[in-house]
Amino acid sequence: MSAEELDRKQIEILRILSEHVEPIGSSIIQRELAKRGFLLSERAVRYHLKILEERGFVEGHERIGRRITEKGLEELTRALAYERMGSILTKYMSLAYKTTYYPDNNSGDVVANITVIDKSHAEEAIDLIRSLYENGLLPAPYYMIIEENEEYRSVSAPEGKIALLTVCNLTIDGVLMKNGIPIFLKYGGLVQFLRRKPIRFVDVLDYEHTTIHPLEIFVYKRATSILNVLKTGSGMVPANMREIPAEAEEKTIEIIDKMVRKGWSGILKIGRSNEPVLGIPVSLDRFGISMAGGITPAAAIVERGIQVETFAPHCLANMKDMKKV
């Protein structure tokens, strides 16, 4: 099995095992994975451990725990070297490419963001999602809640928590890609709103040269003011910008219009060829599109003073499994 073929979750399991001298069990591995952005159930952890054991990368038993083998350490070294060659941009565009959403019948897999919160705040979070959608700050009016005793596509919530899944705007990118339109995801940042209209980007980070989610930085720095936008129309909203070849402008707008008719939203600005978008220049013979960030619900929940863990974007979810706000 080559480094390229190792599942990212399996790489992280090997990394966790390499950090422990003594054998550790699946419950400890599950907690460590959650800290690193992988919300797996114990059953899913055991499944991956079984695969790793079959390939000789780990040894031990469920009762005494597992430890990494010499072969596993060698494979981890190769895998990490390969992983460093990639970037967060590659991860995001790979997720976008995996979408199977079809606007015509409103079905298929979408890219989902995950926000983990205390289950006592579930209703408050859903009300916020509804308000964000009504104000054009959410890509789509759909959500899913994974309870602490549930599992969905290997995603589970810690005890006393819920995992709130919302639709990421990478889904729109995925639909465009599946229609033969190249996407160049460029920047994540903060957009200033005034009188309920997006005015300009005030801070941006380049996706291509970062190893962490640019929008998460602004959320954890408490730099957003989404609740102010909902209340007064003015404030800062996390957003991103992508570029598209000018020749695809007509087809792009046609597809986005179709999605808007299906209830999609969150498009802040579609620029013209070679013209800046909310103050950000675009490359030659391209036009830009800015969208409200998929992390916006998590940011709004943080502004309410609710503690969150956010994993955005994280996985795929099927539209038939989601509820409409």
Side-chain angles (χ1 to χ4, degrees), residues 43 57 71 83 93 99 101 105 177 235 237 278:
R43 185 168 67 87
F57 297 152
K71 184 178 179 181
E83 191 180 60
M93 299 318 293
T99 59
Y101 176 75
N105 56 13
M177 290 166 68
V237 173
L278 299 177

Side-chain angles (χ1 to χ4, degrees), residues 19-39:
E19 295 167 358
H20 291 77
V21 177
E22 299 296 326
I24 58 174
S26 56
S27 60
I28 295 176
I29 295 172
Q30 181 197 29
R31 288 197 296 271
E32 287 298 316
L33 284 170
K35 294 176 184 176
R36 304 174 192 209
F38 298 91
L39 298 179

Side-chain angles (χ1 to χ4, degrees), residues 182-198:
I183 301 292
F184 303 92
L185 190 60
K186 298 291 288 185
Y187 308 109
L190 291 177
V191 167
Q192 179 185 16
F193 272 67
L194 188 63
R195 300 186 185 92
R196 304 198 180 280
K197 292 184 178 181

Side-chain angles (χ1 to χ4, degrees), residues 33-294:
L33 284 170
K35 294 176 184 176
R36 304 174 192 209
F38 298 91
L39 298 179
L40 299 184
S41 65
E42 274 197 61
R43 185 168 67 87
V45 171
R46 289 194 294 269
Y47 166 77
H48 288 292
L49 283 170
K50 183 179 178 182
I51 292 175
L52 292 170
E53 190 168 8
E54 288 173 351
R55 293 187 165 99
F57 297 152
V58 304
E59 62 184 7
H61 190 271
E62 285 188 16
R63 289 188 177 181
I64 64 172
R66 272 30 176 253
R67 63 159 60 93
I68 192 168
T69 63
E70 286 296 324
K71 184 178 179 181
L73 285 170
E74 292 173 5
E75 188 65 23
L76 177 62
T77 301
R78 285 195 294 269
L80 292 178
Y82 176 77
E83 191 180 60
R84 284 192 293 269
M85 292 168 59
S87 69
I88 196 166
L89 180 60
T90 302
K91 173 191 171 184
Y92 290 176
M93 299 318 293
S94 295
L95 271 173
Y97 181 76
K98 290 177 182 177
T99 59
T100 58
Y101 176 75
Y102 292 98
D104 289 338
N105 56 13
N106 200 37
S107 67
D109 283 351
V110 297
V111 180
N113 301 313
I114 297 180
T115 305
V116 177
I117 58 174
D118 190 277
K119 60 184 180 181
S120 63
H121 296 298
E123 288 302 320
E124 186 176 358
I126 293 170
D127 286 342
L128 259 179
I129 290 172
R130 184 178 296 110
S131 183
L132 289 170
Y133 177 70
E134 290 170 351
N135 284 271
L137 299 178
L138 200 68
Y142 302 96
Y143 72 95
M144 180 194 306
I145 289 179
I146 301 175
E147 304 284 354
E148 58 182 321
N149 59 343
E150 294 179 341
E151 180 181 342
Y152 181 80
R153 295 190 174 184
S154 297
V155 174
S156 62
E159 185 176 352
K161 308 281 187 179
I162 62 165
L164 177 64
L165 276 66
T166 52
V167 180
C168 181
N169 61 25
L170 282 175
T171 304
I172 299 175
D173 295 316
V175 172
L176 294 174
M177 290 166 68
K178 291 299 176 68
N179 279 273
I181 297 173
I183 301 292
F184 303 92
L185 190 60
K186 298 291 288 185
Y187 308 109
L190 291 177
V191 167
Q192 179 185 16
F193 272 67
L194 188 63
R195 300 186 185 92
R196 304 198 180 280
K197 292 184 178 181
I199 303 301
R200 63 188 178 107
F201 274 98
V202 295
D203 273 311
V204 292
L205 290 172
D206 189 337
Y207 276 106
E208 193 169 2
H209 300 104
T210 182
T211 57
I212 56 177
H213 192 329
L215 298 187
E216 284 187 3
I217 296 173
F218 297 112
V219 172
Y220 287 116
K221 285 176 62 179
R222 306 294 179 94
T224 65
S225 47
I226 300 161
L227 298 184
N228 282 346
V229 175
L230 297 180
K231 185 177 180 179
T232 69
S234 299
M236 300 293 180
V237 173
N240 50 33
M241 195 188 92
R242 68 273 297 129
E243 293 179 352
I244 297 173
E247 289 186 359
E249 181 177 356
E250 184 177 343
K251 187 175 182 180
T252 298
I253 293 174
E254 177 185 326
I255 292 169
I256 289 178
D257 284 346
K258 181 187 294 185
M259 296 184 74
V260 169
R261 290 194 295 272
K262 292 290 184 179
W264 288 72
S265 185
I267 308 294
L268 302 185
K269 178 75 174 179
I270 300 178
R272 302 296 300 272
S273 177
N274 298 316
E275 292 184 1
V277 173
L278 299 177
I280 302 297
V282 298
S283 304
L284 184 65
D285 293 331
R286 294 181 185 175
F287 69 99
I289 300 179
S290 175
M291 303 183 195

